[in-house]
Amino acid sequence: MRAARLIKMVLLLQSRPAMTAAELARELQVSERTVTRDAQALSEAGVPVYADRGRAGGYRLVGGYRTRLTGLARSEAEALFLSGVPGALREMGLGDAHSAARLKVSAALLPSLRDAPDSAAQRFHLDAPAWFREPETPALLPVVAEAVWDDRRVSARYRRGEAEVERVLEPYGLVLKAGVWYLCARVADGGSCRSGDGPSRTGDGPFRTYRIDRFGAVEPLEERFARDPDFDLPGHWAAQAERFARSILRAEVVVRLSPEGARMLRYAVDPLSAREALSGPVEPDGAGWVTVTLPVESEEVAHAQLTTLGAEAEVLAPRSLRERFAADAARLAALYGGPRPHGRTDAGSHTG
């Protein structure tokens, strides 16, 4: 356990100019006293860890010290080759860089671990696009991805409904969701731009999300921007996704569910909607059914979604939706309730 922590400490110091004891303690999930002892142990083992005293002090490696990856365990090596998404990297124009990096890491592994890439690839595969849809790579994705890596502002034309708007954007990060690429960006403050290679002050507007396939044009600009150090891409995306899900649930349906209907609800409607409907205190009736209030996008959407539950769900309100299901039931009874049409037999058989 301690050996793994010491290796991680060296790698952390190798990746940054310096780190304080508090920063190392937070990363390693130990006390600052333990960090001091670990630094002493590394120094005694010949790793040149140097401690700067004072308010601006911290720990750093001296002499350009670099460690090698020969300390990887098999599970660590396999996990390393699972961390990339090859298809997504190719779409961003990073296929060659990904291939070169894999070769370099493979060459640094111990001989006993050289099969780690193949071992991982034959056990796990990520297929990001949704079912029943041909994935399409937006033509402008490589340009946007390069700007994201380079912290470079872009001038972009974006389709919003029937209109097209022009913006200068600071592209912070890319997200691949169910086969669709999104850009998380901030609209640049026009007064803060400046020419040259140095970064200019970041914009201070809200972060927004754009679908890459709705960009009509993207042109990288000369000026770079200084990234907001507090921006958290996974956190921003999670909050944005939940806000979007909540924003479209503008109506409510009162529905009575059988035990099977309650179990299948999360597969029929939006998971957030199902979770909110079933999270409150619901008491089953004598037949084991529960009555819940379900947030939905619209009556039309609720009709399509709840139809998949069949006889395991009964809509109680609104009346208009209940009447729609009653009409469906009447049509189905007429379709299946009478005798078979003349000349029809059981499926799979033929008449002479």
Side-chain angles (χ1 to χ4, degrees):
M1 184 69 177
R2 191 190 185 199
R5 189 175 72 241
L6 292 174
I7 292 173
K8 184 175 180 180
M9 184 174 180
V10 173
L11 293 174
L12 284 169
L13 293 174
Q14 183 175 299
S15 65
R16 307 179 193 182
M19 294 183 70
T20 66
E23 290 172 336
L24 284 167
R26 186 166 55 252
E27 291 282 352
L28 299 172
Q29 298 183 349
V30 296
S31 67
E32 293 186 30
R33 186 182 295 273
T34 299
V35 168
T36 302
R37 288 198 297 265
D38 286 352
Q40 181 65 30
L42 288 171
S43 181
E44 293 173 355
V47 178
V49 177
Y50 179 76
D52 287 318
R53 304 297 180 184
R55 179 178 297 179
Y59 292 93
R60 61 186 176 87
L61 294 173
V62 296
Y65 180 84
R66 308 288 292 178
T67 187
R68 297 186 178 182
L69 293 176
T70 51
L72 285 176
R74 169 167 292 278
S75 60
E76 295 169 333
E78 291 175 342
L80 178 65
F81 287 99
L82 281 176
S83 62
V85 187
L89 291 170
R90 284 194 300 271
E91 291 180 6
M92 288 189 291
L94 298 174
D96 291 341
H98 173 250
S99 177
R102 285 172 59 93
L103 288 173
K104 289 179 180 179
V105 174
S106 296
L109 292 174
L110 292 171
S112 60
L113 300 179
R114 294 283 166 81
D115 66 334
D118 293 333
S119 174
Q122 294 305 318
R123 286 167 171 78
F124 300 97
H125 175 67
L126 175 62
D127 185 10
W131 284 101
F132 311 119
R133 189 168 91 194
E134 285 294 326
E136 294 183 2
T137 303
L140 294 172
L141 177 60
V143 178
V144 176
E146 186 174 354
V148 168
W149 282 112
D150 207 24
D151 294 339
R152 188 175 295 277
R153 286 192 173 115
V154 297
S155 175
R157 294 203 313 270
Y158 187 76
R159 295 190 305 277
R160 180 174 294 167
E162 298 298 322
E164 189 173 70
V165 297
E166 291 191 21
R167 294 283 187 271
V168 174
L169 301 176
E170 295 174 350
Y172 269 70
L174 289 166
V175 175
L176 177 61
K177 171 69 172 180
V180 180
W181 283 95
Y182 297 87
L183 172 69
C184 297
R186 174 180 269 173
V187 177
D189 179 357
S192 68
C193 297
R194 77 180 185 203
S195 300
D197 291 331
S200 53
R201 183 174 61 83
T202 184
D204 55 5
F207 288 97
R208 301 176 181 176
T209 303
Y210 302 85
R211 277 184 61 145
I212 301 295
D213 57 8
R214 291 182 183 169
F215 281 115
V218 176
E219 180 183 352
L221 301 177
E222 289 295 324
E223 59 269 5
R224 292 184 172 90
F225 64 94
R227 295 179 68 89
D228 184 343
D230 295 328
F231 177 73
D232 172 30
L233 180 59
H236 167 79
W237 178 258
Q240 182 83 358
E242 181 155 345
R243 279 197 301 270
F244 173 75
R246 290 185 182 279
S247 70
I248 63 175
L249 301 177
R250 302 186 182 95
E252 288 184 344
V253 171
V254 180
V255 60
R256 184 168 169 261
L257 300 166
S258 71
E260 177 65 9
R263 187 184 73 82
M264 294 298 296
L265 184 64
R266 63 192 179 102
Y267 302 108
V269 304
D270 183 270
L272 175 64
S273 177
R275 189 165 62 248
E276 292 196 356
L278 297 172
S279 62
V282 288
E283 290 293 333
D285 60 18
W289 289 52
V290 295
T291 299
V292 299
T293 299
L294 181 70
V296 295
E297 182 176 348
S298 66
E299 185 173 312
E300 289 72 20
V301 172
H303 177 255
Q305 292 175 333
L306 295 176
T307 295
T308 63
L309 296 179
E312 306 301 328
E314 177 190 9
V315 172
L316 303 180
R319 175 179 289 276
S320 56
L321 183 57
R322 181 176 175 84
E323 290 174 349
R324 183 180 293 194
F325 274 100
D328 289 346
R331 291 176 59 197
L332 287 171
L335 189 62
Y336 291 102
R340 286 197 183 99
H342 179 70
R344 295 290 180 89
T345 62
D346 290 338
S349 63
H350 300 274
T351 55

